[in-house]
């Protein structure tokens, strides 16, 4: 699989003309971390608990960033209310906000926007990308 930014995958999804083509885009870009990201966004049981900080969007061109959303997905638990991995940790609001600032400034600006939408709206703002079509593409995904 060719490595793509999540924003590129979702742009391809958005540009696909038919429902079948949109599902094909999801199938073509299937990866456990991508599925996990979609589940965090579209499963109402996942509640992000972090304030979006002021940050400077990265100016690097796509592919030359310090990190990618695909790499950060396994670490997003730090911002999810009541996540089991946080049990016993001392991660206060100030530290969460600081960590999120670093992540947002290290991602490509389009991926940073996606992450902000995921946290604040629990929706990526992509037309026709719904929990229903995601479940159709990935029947075993953790979305009710």
């Amino acid at each position: 699989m060719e490595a793509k930014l999540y924003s590129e995958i979702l742009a391809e999804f958005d540009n696909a003309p038919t429902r079948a083509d949109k599902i094909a885009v999801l199938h073509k870009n299937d990866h456990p971390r991508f599925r996990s990201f979609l589940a965090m966004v579209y499963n109402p049981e996942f509640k992000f608990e972090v304030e979006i900080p002021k940050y400077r969007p990265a100016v690097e061109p796509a592919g030359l960033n310090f990190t990618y959303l695909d790499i950060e997905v396994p670490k997003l638990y730090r911002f999810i209310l009541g996540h089991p991995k946080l049990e016993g940790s001392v991660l206060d609001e100030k530290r969460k906000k600081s960590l999120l600032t670093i992540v947002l400034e290290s991602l490509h600006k389009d991926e940073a926007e996606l992450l902000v939408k995921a946290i604040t709206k629990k929706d990526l703002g992509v037309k026709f990308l719904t929990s229903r079509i995601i479940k159709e593409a990935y029947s075993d995904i953790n979305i009710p």
Side-chain angles (χ1 to χ4, degrees), residues 5 8 10 17 22 25 37 42 57-58 73 91 96 107 110 114 125 131:
L5 299 178
E8 293 172 327
L10 296 174
K22 291 178 184 306
V25 168
F37 178 69
Y42 291 95
V73 165
L91 198 57
K96 284 183 186 181
L107 292 170
D110 295 343
L114 276 179
S131 55

Side-chain angles (χ1 to χ4, degrees), residues 7-126:
S7 55
E8 293 172 327
I9 295 169
L10 296 174
E12 186 180 344
F13 175 92
D14 196 31
N15 292 327
T18 67
R19 183 177 183 84
D21 292 334
K22 291 178 184 306
I23 290 172
V25 168
L26 293 175
H27 281 219
K28 182 174 79 174
N29 294 286
D30 188 16
H31 190 276
R33 288 186 302 264
F34 184 60
R35 283 182 183 218
S36 183
F37 178 69
L38 292 174
M40 285 179 200
V41 176
Y42 291 95
N43 185 333
E45 293 174 13
F46 290 98
K47 291 178 179 36
F48 287 97
E49 184 183 48
V50 65
E51 182 183 332
I52 302 297
K54 290 185 190 231
Y55 69 97
R56 291 175 309 229
V59 295
E60 294 83 16
L64 297 177
N65 299 90
F66 292 107
T67 193
Y68 301 92
L69 202 45
D70 190 59
I71 293 169
E72 293 300 320
V73 165
K75 302 176 213 167
L76 292 180
Y77 73 88
R78 300 176 295 190
F79 311 118
I80 295 175
L81 178 66
H83 195 283
K85 286 185 179 179
L86 289 174
E87 193 172 309
S89 74
V90 187
L91 198 57
D92 62 11
E93 279 305 308
K94 184 177 177 183
R95 180 69 178 138
K96 284 183 186 181
K97 198 171 176 179
S98 173
L99 288 169
L100 186 56
T101 302
I102 292 166
V103 170
L104 291 172
E105 290 182 351
S106 300
L107 292 170
H108 183 270
K109 63 181 178 63
D110 295 343
E111 285 201 316
E113 286 176 27
L114 276 179
L115 183 53
V116 168
K117 286 177 186 175
I119 291 170
T120 60
K121 299 179 182 177
K122 292 284 287 171
D123 182 38
L124 299 176
V126 178

